[in-house]
């Protein structure tokens, strides 16, 4: 493992490449990354990076967003079929039909979506800025929120806005936690705070002390010591690793995203050696999708 990490480091320098890793990636991948972050942080960063080669350790929609925002760089996704099941729960045709049912609405798409869906949307959002994005829309407008019903319903509840959600969800967050997990954890750890990702089922979100993105959780941890985390376990593993002095527990060991786990250190090495898999977005779709991403980035 050490040898591979060393070879990656040398090759990275030779090719002036940068490695980006989402907060859910396996520990050894996060450890060798130049930058780690949540979806919003990595999108902002991708737009600013000045590197000929970006190795994006995450899932396809993230690498696509990076490729759209930084057409000058060659963006590589190390594992070709690392996708996001939630992103695939709505396609362009389905969104066009949805919009036709609500002609005067505004479409907000979660960044966990395909480029085609982004291209058909008015504005994009991530879990850390969804509330800001929705609040920026005219109060009299009906908002169509795709694809995540859980993030959409949480934002509707907090903002008080009229939001119609698509029936998509993240299997990891939807099925990874139960009310019983919370009950048991609250009993065994009564002085811990519960942080919940908004992709979780509303019944789990309702029990949270705080609802936040993975980036929000990383920041929250700086000032707090006893936390129960309800999100994909790659984040919890990494937080425990960088803060061994703090008390951090995952709400459930079941919350694992199989797609995020596909990237292994060997894949990162091949990605650097062979410059595969190059993520390219058809220019017309990229231009339209970029409008919805840029509108989000103007708000942040
Ligand atoms: P954030 O990175 O915005 O917290 O989102 C989590 C997620 O599921 C990304 O796939
Ligand atoms: Fe998609 Fe859920 Fe995996 Fe995130 S954790 S990439 S939303 S399946």
């Amino acid at each position: 493992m050490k040898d591979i990490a060393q070879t990656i480091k040398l090759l990275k320098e030779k090719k002036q490449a940068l490695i980006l890793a989402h907060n859910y990636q396996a520990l050894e991948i996060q450890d060798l990354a130049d930058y780690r972050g949540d979806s919003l942080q990595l999108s902002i960063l991708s737009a600013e990076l000045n590197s000929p080669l970006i190795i994006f350790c995450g899932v396809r929609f993230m690498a696509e967003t990076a490729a759209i925002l930084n057409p000058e760089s060659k963006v590589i996704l190390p594992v070709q079929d690392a996708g996001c099941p939630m992103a695939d729960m709505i396609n362009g045709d389905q969104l066009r039909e949805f919009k036709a049912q609500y002609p005067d609405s505004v479409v907000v798409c979660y960044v966990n979506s395909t480029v085609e869906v982004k291209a058909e949307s008015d504005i994009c959002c991530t879990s850390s800025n969804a509330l800001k994005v929705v609040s920026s829309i005219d109060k009299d407008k009906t908002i169509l929120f795709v694809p995540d019903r859980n993030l959409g319903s949480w934002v509707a509840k907090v903002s008080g806005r009229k939001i119609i959600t698509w029936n998509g969800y993240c299997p990891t967050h939807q099925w990874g936690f139960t009310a019983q997990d919370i009950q048991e954890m609250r009993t065994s750890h009564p002085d811990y705070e519960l942080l919940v990702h908004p992709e979780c089922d509303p019944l789990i979100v309702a029990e949270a002390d705080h609802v936040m993105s993975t980036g929000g959780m990383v920041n929250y941890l700086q000032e707090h010591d006893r936390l129960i985390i309800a999100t994909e376990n790659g984040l919890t593993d990494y937080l425990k690793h960088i803060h061994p002095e703090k008390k951090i527990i995952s709400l459930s060991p079941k919350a694992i995203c199989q797609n995020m786990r596909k990237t292994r250190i060997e894949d990162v090495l091949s990605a650097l050696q062979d410059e595969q898999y190059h993520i390219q977005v058809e220019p017309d779709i990229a231009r339209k999708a970029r409008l919805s991403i840029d509108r989000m980035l103007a708000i942040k």
Side-chain angles (χ1 to χ4, degrees), residues 22 24 39 58-62 82-87 110 112 148 169-174 197 199 231-232 255-260:
H22 186 266
Y24 292 158
S39 306
V59 292
R60 178 167 289 267
F61 76 80
M62 297 178 174
C84 170
M86 167 156 64
Y110 190 23
N112 301 31
D148 190 1
Y169 57 88
C170 159
T172 305
H173 287 84
Q174 178 66 57
H197 196 281
E199 286 177 15
T231 193
E232 209 277 340
I256 291 173
C257 172
Q258 298 304 338
N259 281 279
M260 283 285 179

Side-chain angles (χ1 to χ4, degrees), residues 126-190:
T126 72
S127 59
S128 56
N129 64 14
L131 208 52
K132 258 194 191 168
V133 166
V134 161
S135 306
S136 74
I137 296 166
D138 282 354
K139 287 216 161 50
D140 56 333
K141 290 282 184 192
T142 295
I143 296 167
L144 305 184
F145 194 99
V146 300
D148 190 1
R149 66 184 184 205
N150 292 343
L151 178 61
S153 67
W154 174 71
V155 175
K157 199 169 162 200
V158 179
S159 67
R161 301 298 303 276
K162 184 170 184 230
I163 297 181
I164 302 168
T165 56
W166 187 255
N167 195 19
Y169 57 88
C170 159
T172 305
H173 287 84
Q174 178 66 57
W175 313 119
F177 312 100
T178 64
Q180 195 183 340
D181 293 331
I182 297 186
Q183 218 173 34
E184 287 173 6
M185 207 55 101
R186 289 288 200 197
T187 309
S188 56
H189 298 83

Side-chain angles (χ1 to χ4, degrees), residues 21 90 175 191 222-223 225:
I90 184 167
W175 313 119
D191 54 344
Q222 306 305 318
E223 305 291 329
D225 294 318

Side-chain angles (χ1 to χ4, degrees), residues 18-208:
L18 289 172
I19 300 179
L20 271 56
H22 186 266
N23 288 327
Y24 292 158
Q25 288 285 290
L27 205 52
E28 66 268 22
I29 306 291
Q30 295 210 45
D31 251 350
L32 58 84
D34 296 289
Y35 299 98
R36 289 159 288 276
D38 69 9
S39 306
L40 180 62
Q41 292 162 334
L42 295 179
S43 298
I44 294 171
L45 197 67
S46 304
E48 293 167 354
L49 289 179
N50 186 12
S51 166
L53 194 62
I54 295 175
I55 309 295
F56 205 119
C57 301
V59 292
R60 178 167 289 267
F61 76 80
M62 297 178 174
E64 282 172 347
T65 305
I68 291 168
L69 287 173
N70 192 340
E72 305 296 312
S73 299
K74 188 172 181 184
V75 177
I76 305 293
L77 181 67
V79 177
Q80 194 172 25
D81 68 346
C84 170
M86 167 156 64
D88 295 331
M89 286 182 188
I90 184 167
N91 62 31
D93 285 341
Q94 289 170 311
L95 179 51
R96 281 184 282 276
E97 276 173 35
F98 193 31
K99 280 162 60 168
Q101 289 172 42
Y102 302 95
D104 197 29
S105 57
V106 174
V107 180
V108 178
C109 75
Y110 190 23
V111 70
N112 301 31
S113 52
T114 62
V115 274
E116 210 193 349
V117 164
K118 288 186 180 75
E120 277 293 329
S121 299
D122 296 298
I123 185 163
C124 201
C125 75
T126 72
S127 59
S128 56
N129 64 14
L131 208 52
K132 258 194 191 168
V133 166
V134 161
S135 306
S136 74
I137 296 166
D138 282 354
K139 287 216 161 50
D140 56 333
K141 290 282 184 192
T142 295
I143 296 167
L144 305 184
F145 194 99
V146 300
D148 190 1
R149 66 184 184 205
N150 292 343
L151 178 61
S153 67
W154 174 71
V155 175
K157 199 169 162 200
V158 179
S159 67
R161 301 298 303 276
K162 184 170 184 230
I163 297 181
I164 302 168
T165 56
W166 187 255
N167 195 19
Y169 57 88
C170 159
T172 305
H173 287 84
Q174 178 66 57
W175 313 119
F177 312 100
T178 64
Q180 195 183 340
D181 293 331
I182 297 186
Q183 218 173 34
E184 287 173 6
M185 207 55 101
R186 289 288 200 197
T187 309
S188 56
H189 298 83
D191 54 344
Y192 281 51
E193 289 177 279
L194 173 62
L195 307 186
V196 174
H197 196 281
E199 286 177 15
C200 291
D201 185 277
L203 288 173
I204 305 298
V205 171
E207 297 294 328

